[in-house]
Amino acid sequence: MTRQLNIRRSTGLKWRVSIPEGFRELTEALGFARANGPWFEKIENGRVMRGFLPGTQHANALGIVHGGMLAAFLDSAMGRAVWHTLRRRSVTLRLSVDYLGPAKVGDWLQAEGEVVGHDEHVAQVRGRLYGRRHEVLAGLGSFTLLSRQRTLNTRS
Amino acid sequence: MTRQLNIRRSTGLKWRVSIPEGFRELTEALGFARANGPWFEKIENGRVMRGFLPGTQHANALGIVHGGMLAAFLDSAMGRAVWHTLRRRSVTLRLSVDYLGPAKVGDWLQAEGEVVGHDEHVAQVRGRLYGRRHEVLAGLGSFTLLSRQRTLNTRS
């Protein structure tokens, strides 16, 4: 079943948009993720994907999705990939993003990360953020792996 | 006069925090900046600085300020520096950020950018985001300069 989400377009009209099959809403999200949500997640063939529907609250003054919002969402998907692959919580140490194309309000976006290398302390992650028809961001990041003790004491 | 701002701490109690002298609230902010605001700005000695007071809505699951939120705020300050220096609107083409230290909820943060080079199409910008006592992010970015025509037709 394809779920529907009401979002408010810049026209002020509510508009019903489809959430792609298999995505669940991250209802446990807190802080920034909750304030800028709802965010969605899907695990498929061992990969974890995040998705969201940008609204006017995610836009910049030009009316397209704010570049910082896109970087923040990609960062979260890359950190999630670290957890999914290594079962370690992490914090971003370095993040580099290339903006390949704009993202429109109302167009579903997805992001995912891939752990391409790691030692006991740091993971190297490649990330991409994309719409239905085009790539939006390419990312490369280093994530500091938190101690396993701390991982046990904090939320996933 | 030092202005005061009520922010909600994780305790649920309201807490009064000082906004440093000379900062004005960006009441004209839209979209992402409004949803994640209030943001403040100060121009001093030809430099433009942005500031904000992170609340729990800016935090990650560890309770510190979300790395993506920090990158987004630095990006906005760097884009603002492009406007301030070149009077051209811009969109981010590439952004690289290094996380130098964590930022706590309730601690005032500032960010600023410096245009270190540009041609007719692209500006190179160095940025920093910092708290009262420590550096938080170092950034380096390339910003595509929009046509002067487009600049005239959009908001600053």
Side-chain angles (χ1 to χ4, degrees):
Chain A
M1 192 190 76
T2 302
R3 276 168 305 158
Q4 303 278 315
L5 183 75
N6 289 316
I7 63 160
R8 198 170 287 276
R9 303 271 279 189
S10 52
T11 55
L13 294 172
K14 279 201 173 183
W15 202 62
R16 294 177 75 78
V17 187
S18 300
I19 305 300
E21 192 109 15
F23 277 86
R24 77 169 183 88
E25 185 177 337
L26 294 174
T27 51
E28 71 277 27
L30 294 172
F32 181 82
R34 176 191 288 257
N36 291 278
W39 290 1
F40 298 83
E41 194 169 286
K42 180 183 184 177
I43 297 179
E44 192 176 58
N45 302 327
R47 287 157 58 209
V48 56
M49 281 162 279
R50 288 199 160 176
F52 83 113
L53 264 171
T56 53
Q57 75 277 20
H58 301 117
N60 62 18
L62 300 172
I64 54 175
V65 186
H66 193 286
M69 176 64 212
L70 295 172
F73 190 70
L74 180 58
D75 172 71
S76 86
M78 291 166 73
R80 185 71 176 94
V82 173
W83 170 259
H84 186 69
T85 308
L86 306 175
R87 294 291 156 189
R88 296 276 294 275
R89 289 301 304 276
S90 61
V91 291
T92 314
L93 178 62
R94 181 157 223 269
L95 179 67
S96 172
V97 289
D98 283 271
Y99 291 81
L100 308 174
K104 284 189 214 165
V105 166
D107 281 355
W108 175 256
L109 292 175
Q110 278 178 215
E112 54 190 89
E114 183 191 359
V115 176
V116 290
H118 73 98
D119 61 16
E120 187 58 26
H121 307 291
V122 177
Q124 308 297 339
V125 184
R126 190 158 45 207
R128 56 185 281 251
L129 188 153
Y130 50 100
R132 283 201 166 90
R133 290 174 209 84
H134 70 306
E135 298 291 316
V136 178
L137 251 70
L140 197 60
S142 304
F143 290 74
T144 302
L145 301 170
L146 302 184
S147 69
R148 293 182 191 279
Q149 183 59 39
R150 189 154 182 195
T151 296
L152 289 173
N153 291 339
T154 53
R155 309 167 131 264
S156 64
Chain B
M1 192 189 77
T2 302
R3 276 169 305 160
Q4 304 277 314
L5 184 76
N6 288 316
I7 63 160
R8 199 169 287 277
R9 302 272 279 188
S10 52
T11 55
L13 294 172
K14 280 201 173 184
W15 201 64
R16 292 178 74 79
V17 186
S18 300
I19 306 299
E21 193 107 17
F23 278 87
R24 78 169 183 90
E25 185 177 337
L26 295 173
T27 51
E28 71 277 26
L30 294 171
F32 181 81
R34 175 190 289 257
N36 291 278
W39 291 1
F40 298 82
E41 193 169 284
K42 181 183 184 177
I43 296 178
E44 192 176 58
N45 302 326
R47 286 157 58 211
V48 54
M49 281 163 278
R50 288 199 159 177
F52 84 112
L53 263 171
T56 53
Q57 75 278 19
H58 301 116
N60 62 19
L62 299 171
I64 55 176
V65 186
H66 194 286
M69 175 65 212
L70 295 172
F73 190 71
L74 179 59
D75 172 70
S76 86
M78 291 165 72
R80 185 70 176 95
V82 173
W83 170 260
H84 186 69
T85 307
L86 305 175
R87 294 290 156 189
R88 295 278 293 275
R89 290 300 305 277
S90 62
V91 292
T92 314
L93 179 63
R94 181 156 222 268
L95 180 66
S96 172
V97 289
D98 282 271
Y99 291 80
L100 309 174
K104 284 189 214 164
V105 167
D107 281 355
W108 175 255
L109 291 175
Q110 276 177 217
E112 55 190 88
E114 182 192 359
V115 176
V116 291
H118 73 99
D119 61 18
E120 186 59 25
H121 306 290
V122 177
Q124 308 297 339
V125 184
R126 190 157 46 207
R128 55 185 282 252
L129 188 154
Y130 50 99
R132 283 203 164 87
R133 289 174 208 84
H134 69 307
E135 298 291 315
V136 178
L137 250 71
L140 198 60
S142 303
F143 290 74
T144 302
L145 301 171
L146 301 185
S147 69
R148 293 181 191 280
Q149 184 58 39
R150 189 156 183 193
T151 295
L152 289 173
N153 291 339
T154 54
R155 307 168 134 265
S156 63

